[in-house]
Amino acid sequence: MSSKLEQLQALVAPVVEALGYECWGIEFLSQGRHSLLRIYIDHANGILIDDCEKVSRQISGVLDVEDPISAEYTLEVSSPGMDRPLFTLAQFASHVGEQVKIKLRSPFEGRRNFQGLLRGVEEEDVVVQVDDHEFLLPIDMIDKANIIPRFD
């Protein structure tokens, strides 16, 4: 995790948790002069637009005071949704048996994109089965990972 993400996580997570939600994850996409800060929140009862608004107002206040992002940015608060992104080893472990789509920061065994069955977590690696091959992907190489929703 980059130092900017760690700094944002340290500021944002306590605010989200104090409001009674789980801070599922944070994405910071720096796009030249304008950036996007996306914060995913979760709750056992689900997330409604009112929940996102409440968290957004609180986080805006903290970010205005602390000013961790010097450039212009958009703050977006969202539920993880059905195609929920996975950020931590614990999140991967809790979704074993699901189909996942993973994109790496750099190639691993000649490829960056993996789509298959999430088999588990071993130490700092995520285990994904693609067709007949099992890959152990280091968590620090994962750029983006999402659950592939099932519609049974």
Side-chain angles (χ1 to χ4, degrees), residues 2-148:
S2 76
S3 60
K4 176 60 80 181
L5 265 180
E6 287 171 358
Q7 179 188 15
L8 291 167
Q9 180 85 25
L11 280 173
V12 166
V15 175
V16 171
E17 289 159 12
L19 292 169
Y21 302 97
E22 177 185 356
C23 185
W24 184 260
I26 296 175
E27 293 175 345
F28 180 64
L29 308 168
S30 184
Q31 301 161 328
R33 291 190 346 239
H34 198 84
S35 300
L36 172 67
L37 174 59
R38 183 177 294 131
I39 299 165
Y40 293 99
I41 61 172
D42 206 5
H43 191 274
N45 297 332
I47 296 295
L48 300 172
I49 190 77
D50 293 345
D51 299 313
C52 294
E53 289 173 2
K54 180 165 75 171
V55 171
S56 180
R57 276 194 302 277
Q58 288 294 321
I59 289 172
S60 288
V62 170
L63 294 176
D64 287 348
V65 170
E66 297 294 332
D67 200 25
I69 304 170
S70 54
E72 247 184 79
Y73 68 95
T74 300
L75 172 63
E76 188 179 288
V77 177
S78 173
S79 88
M82 290 180 66
D83 63 342
R84 91 181 23 231
L86 301 174
F87 297 95
T88 66
L89 287 169
Q91 290 171 348
F92 280 99
S94 69
H95 287 280
V96 168
E98 301 271 359
Q99 290 288 319
V100 292
K101 188 176 195 174
I102 297 176
K103 181 180 179 189
L104 302 180
R105 289 187 178 86
S106 56
F108 181 81
E109 293 188 21
R111 59 194 286 186
R112 288 181 60 188
N113 296 302
F114 297 81
Q115 184 170 323
L117 181 66
L118 179 56
R119 302 287 294 179
V121 171
E122 290 183 15
E123 295 178 23
E124 298 296 309
D125 296 335
V126 173
V127 184
V128 179
Q129 182 176 337
V130 179
D131 300 322
D132 294 334
H133 190 76
E134 224 173 60
F135 294 92
L136 272 69
L137 306 174
I139 187 83
D140 59 359
M141 286 183 68
I142 296 175
D143 185 39
K144 193 169 178 68
N146 291 80
I147 297 291
I148 299 173

